[in-house]
Amino acid sequence: MIFVGLVLCSIAVSAFAGSVNQTNEDFIAETFADNTPKSKVVWIKNDLRPAIATILGHEYIGLRIRYWQQGERTAWILEEIGKESPITFGIVITSGKVERVKVLAYRESRGGEIQQRAFTRQFTDATLKEQKLDRHIDGISGATLSVRAMTSVVTMALYLTEFINQIE
């Protein structure tokens, strides 16, 4: 009986580990109703690099970040390490507010609850205030690092949206 319980637990854990919920391409197509704009690139240099490092709490290793923009709507696909593995997030910003956050790929063995709509809707309508979100995001016991990763990339998407809107 104990063996059966252990097997069922390992199956449940492996169901969360390494799950791809949606491809990047499908997320972008869904966001722009199959009228996908050409992707653009923001280069991470000069004063942008330290600001992003402050938001993330560590240096960003990439040189550029790809995004899609159509009018007031901007979509970002960003990755951040949870505890040990990267989590891929899709973030949609409309008129300076978070419209939607979605976990596209979750590769951690714990903390998969951040993928649930009940959790992600906390970010809806969030804005940026002094390089931080304008609201508190409730955590999830056992998913602290995944929650931090999501909060950081959402903040980064808002910041980058402000940045690209200033240079255009």
Side-chain angles (χ1 to χ4, degrees):
M1 188 61 154
I2 293 175
F3 177 73
V4 171
L6 289 173
V7 169
L8 290 175
C9 284
S10 68
I11 290 170
V13 167
S14 65
F16 267 130
S19 66
V20 175
N21 301 321
Q22 188 173 31
T23 66
N24 296 354
E25 295 79 14
D26 288 345
F27 174 77
I28 296 301
E30 176 184 279
T31 298
F32 294 103
D34 293 322
N35 188 16
T36 306
K38 285 184 73 170
S39 65
K40 299 179 182 181
V41 172
V42 60
W43 290 90
I44 310 303
K45 57 184 180 178
N46 302 334
D47 56 338
L48 194 53
R49 187 164 291 281
I52 289 175
T54 299
I55 290 168
L56 295 177
H58 62 82
E59 291 292 321
Y60 182 77
I61 59 171
L63 296 175
R64 63 182 183 218
I65 298 173
R66 188 167 310 281
Y67 67 98
W68 294 259
Q69 186 173 30
Q70 190 173 69
E72 292 289 316
R73 180 185 263 179
T74 309
W76 303 87
I77 296 176
L78 301 170
E79 282 194 349
E80 180 65 323
I81 301 290
K83 182 175 182 181
E84 298 169 343
S85 301
I87 305 167
T88 306
F89 300 95
I91 304 114
V92 180
I93 309 294
T94 303
S95 301
K97 295 180 179 181
V98 175
E99 178 184 320
R100 180 169 60 122
V101 179
K102 187 170 187 178
V103 177
L104 303 180
Y106 193 79
R107 300 170 186 93
E108 297 282 359
S109 60
R110 302 178 69 152
E113 297 88 352
I114 69 162
Q115 300 172 81
Q116 303 301 317
R117 180 76 182 120
F119 178 75
T120 62
R121 75 171 154 238
Q122 294 181 82
F123 292 93
T124 303
D125 292 330
T127 61
L128 197 62
K129 186 175 181 180
E130 299 173 10
Q131 293 186 4
K132 293 184 179 179
L133 293 182
D134 68 342
R135 65 192 61 194
H136 171 77
I137 300 298
D138 289 332
I140 298 171
S141 180
T144 303
L145 298 177
S146 296
V147 170
R148 282 187 193 156
M150 182 179 281
T151 303
S152 294
V153 297
V154 170
T155 304
M156 185 171 143
L158 282 163
Y159 183 81
L160 288 170
T161 300
E162 274 188 7
F163 178 80
I164 63 169
N165 287 336
Q166 289 173 1
I167 61 173
E168 289 184 345

